[in-house]
Amino acid sequence: MPFIQVYLQFYYDQNDTEARSKALYGCWLAGTVLRSVGMSLHHKLCHVLGGSYNLPHADSHSVILLYALWYNAAYAPDGSKQ
């Protein structure tokens, strides 16, 4: 079942233990992925700026992404073309 369906199911009925279980499993999977790969410069900068200046996490990503792509283009030219 796609995550959005699980989320909506849980949103409309917080007592739905099956939806709660699937949502928690999805969160666990996301955490496992983040643990097993390196964080990019972009993401690290957003955490530092957000924590230091109390900036919203998603908004920071929107602003920092282009600068991080520009900075990394010299080191990963093939990746920046995609």
Side-chain angles (χ1 to χ4, degrees):
M1 177 181 295
F3 181 76
I4 189 66
Q5 286 179 324
V6 170
Y7 173 77
L8 289 173
Q9 196 174 346
F10 177 64
Y11 178 80
Y12 289 114
D13 182 7
Q14 287 83 32
N15 295 318
D16 185 337
T17 55
E18 182 180 355
R20 180 185 296 262
S21 177
K22 287 180 180 180
L24 286 172
Y25 180 64
C27 292
W28 176 81
L29 286 174
T32 300
V33 167
L34 291 176
R35 183 187 71 213
S36 65
V37 299
M39 287 290 177
S40 67
L41 171 68
H42 161 244
H43 202 104
K44 288 179 182 179
L45 284 172
C46 291
H47 272 278
V48 170
L49 291 171
S52 298
Y53 300 104
N54 197 27
L55 299 172
H57 190 70
D59 296 348
S60 300
H61 279 280
S62 299
V63 172
I64 296 298
L65 181 60
L66 291 177
Y67 293 100
L69 287 172
W70 170 80
Y71 178 82
N72 285 325
Y75 302 99
D78 293 337
S80 64
K81 291 178 186 174
Q82 295 178 5

